[in-house]
Amino acid sequence: MQVRSTSRLFDQPSDRRPRESARLVERHLNLPFANKAAADQLRPAAETAVRRYLERHGTTLHQTRYSEQPVEIHPVPGVTVTGRVDLIKRLDTNETSVVDFKSSERAQAENLTRDQLHLYVLGYRELTGQNADVVEVLNLDKAGRDTREMVDPEVMTDLSKRVTEAADSLRTNRLPRLDSWCSSCAGCDFAGICRSRES
């Protein structure tokens, strides 16, 4: 969504902002594979999320440096990790923040979110040659909790190591099956390939 478009909302009287939010969603929301029922449900939710975000964070739109920014990470030769960063902004403290939008209804484990954000930090470094300072999660739900923490170099080092190990496993077809069903299996989209799901 274009920052310039959303910035204009704050030149409007507050009672016009809901209509402007709806126009933004109409212009930018893309649901090519949603059926009509799903699209009819998602559009009002998107309008509410945009309006809520602008009410909470609209005065900081000028801090935006990148939005929906593709990044690539090359931890070792022949391995590329790709992603798309929701938002990268320059804070009033002159620190750079990497931001991910989340919804409580579609939340993932905090450690996965932390890993994801630190991978984005690595991608930002490859993109710009600069280091980010802060990672943030902005929750788009009404009672959602935002989080902010400093970039952890140890997490980044560990991530690079794990990505390299995963790449080596794929190259050598070394993908051993876990001995028994566990929480990793329960969250794996491909569990059915190596064993039946527990009833």
Side-chain angles (χ1 to χ4, degrees):
M1 195 170 287
Q2 296 178 358
V3 175
R4 190 177 304 168
S5 299
T6 50
S7 295
R8 283 200 294 266
L9 278 174
F10 290 87
D11 296 330
Q12 305 289 341
S14 59
D15 62 343
R16 288 185 58 187
R17 290 177 191 167
R19 286 177 298 184
E20 293 297 326
S21 297
R23 288 178 189 155
L24 277 171
V25 170
E26 184 64 31
R27 188 179 318 129
H28 296 286
L29 185 66
N30 183 27
L31 302 170
F33 304 110
N35 59 40
K36 185 179 185 307
D40 289 346
Q41 183 179 12
L42 290 169
R43 186 166 284 105
E47 291 173 10
T48 300
V50 168
R51 187 164 57 250
R52 187 178 296 128
Y53 177 81
L54 292 171
E55 288 169 354
R56 292 179 182 173
H57 306 286
T59 57
T60 65
L61 287 176
H62 66 281
Q63 296 176 338
T64 301
R65 294 294 172 264
Y66 302 93
S67 62
E68 291 291 314
Q69 176 61 47
V71 292
E72 290 189 352
I73 304 147
H74 303 89
V76 292
V79 175
T80 301
V81 180
T82 62
R84 187 180 296 271
V85 186
D86 288 339
L87 187 68
I88 300 169
K89 60 183 182 177
R90 177 73 69 177
L91 305 178
D92 291 336
T93 57
N94 209 34
E95 295 171 305
T96 297
S97 175
V98 173
V99 180
D100 194 49
F101 297 129
K102 290 286 186 239
S103 165
S104 297
E105 295 178 359
R106 299 182 62 189
Q108 61 185 18
E110 278 192 26
N111 61 323
L112 290 179
T113 299
R114 182 176 293 109
D115 286 352
Q116 176 186 354
L117 282 165
H118 280 78
L119 279 172
Y120 290 164
V121 169
L122 291 170
Y124 174 75
R125 179 192 291 169
E126 287 206 21
L127 177 70
T128 66
Q130 300 173 346
N131 292 318
D133 307 288
V134 177
V135 290
E136 295 183 78
V137 174
L138 298 184
N139 195 303
L140 299 177
D141 295 333
K142 184 175 182 179
R145 183 176 63 91
D146 297 340
T147 62
R148 175 185 287 188
E149 61 185 60
M150 301 302 294
V151 170
D152 188 336
E154 290 186 7
V155 172
M156 293 170 64
T157 300
D158 180 61
L159 276 173
S160 295
K161 179 182 176 183
R162 282 189 282 150
V163 169
T164 301
E165 290 173 349
D168 288 341
S169 295
L170 288 170
R171 283 192 182 115
T172 59
N173 200 28
R174 182 171 43 86
L175 303 167
R177 189 175 84 158
L178 297 174
D179 293 332
S180 60
W181 185 274
C182 63
S183 59
S184 294
C185 301
C188 178
D189 293 332
F190 305 101
I193 294 175
C194 64
R195 60 165 47 93
S196 299
R197 285 187 178 274
E198 283 191 340
S199 56

